[in-house]
């Protein structure tokens, strides 16, 4: 999905700056107490002149019809995508001013029993 494009644009990602797990209450796993939404957030530096090209590359690189690209104005953009087969969603949004982007990834998963 977009992970390859993110690595191409930013290199290997460090550990997320923030990550957490929350109980998943989606209809798919409503009554399953082992279902969690796992999320990670990265703040990645990006030159202002590279925002549009990078965000368009992420959008086009996803290859998914369930993704979107939005111009926010002032040289800022956001890209959303979701892979229903893997239950992975992501959002990449330009900071204000556009000197970095925030990558937010989430995934609904069943955790292995302990």
């Amino acid at each position: 999905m977009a992970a390859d494009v993110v690595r191409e644009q930013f290199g290997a990602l460090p550990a997320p700056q923030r990550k957490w797990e929350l109980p998943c209450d989606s209809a798919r796993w409503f009554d399953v107490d082992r279902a969690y939404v796992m999320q990670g957030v990265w703040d990645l530096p990006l030159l202002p002149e590279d925002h549009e090209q990078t965000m368009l590359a992420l959008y086009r690189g996803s290859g998914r019809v369930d993704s979107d690209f939005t111009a926010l104005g002032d040289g800022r953009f956001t890209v959303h995508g979701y892979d229903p087969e893997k239950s992975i969603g992501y959002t990449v949004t330009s900071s204000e001013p556009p000197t970095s982007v925030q990558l937010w990834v989430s995934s609904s998963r069943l955790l292995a029993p302990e």
Side-chain angles (χ1 to χ4, degrees):
M1 202 166 111
D4 291 332
V5 177
V6 169
R7 280 191 287 278
E8 182 178 315
Q9 297 294 322
F10 298 104
L13 291 176
Q17 279 100 359
R18 295 175 300 282
K19 62 181 181 178
W20 57 93
E21 298 174 358
L22 302 168
C24 181
D25 60 359
S26 74
R28 180 177 176 187
W29 291 318
F30 185 72
D31 291 330
V32 179
D33 61 359
R34 295 181 303 113
Y36 283 83
V37 174
M38 293 173 247
Q39 299 175 325
V41 177
W42 294 260
D43 294 305
L44 306 167
L46 184 63
L47 294 173
E49 60 269 20
D50 292 338
H51 277 244
E52 183 171 15
Q53 175 185 345
T54 299
M55 300 297 246
L56 281 170
L58 289 169
Y59 171 67
R60 292 177 182 143
S62 73
R64 310 255 350 150
V65 295
D66 43 1
S67 64
D68 62 79
F69 171 88
T70 304
L72 302 173
D74 298 324
R76 298 175 54 239
F77 305 89
T78 190
V79 176
H80 301 282
Y82 181 71
D83 184 337
E85 294 171 11
K86 297 180 181 177
S87 289
I88 295 175
Y90 68 92
T91 300
V92 183
T93 303
S94 300
S95 64
E96 188 174 346
T99 57
S100 65
V101 294
Q102 186 175 77
L103 168 61
W104 184 296
V105 179
S106 65
S107 177
S108 300
R109 294 283 182 233
L110 283 176
L111 301 179
E114 296 183 32

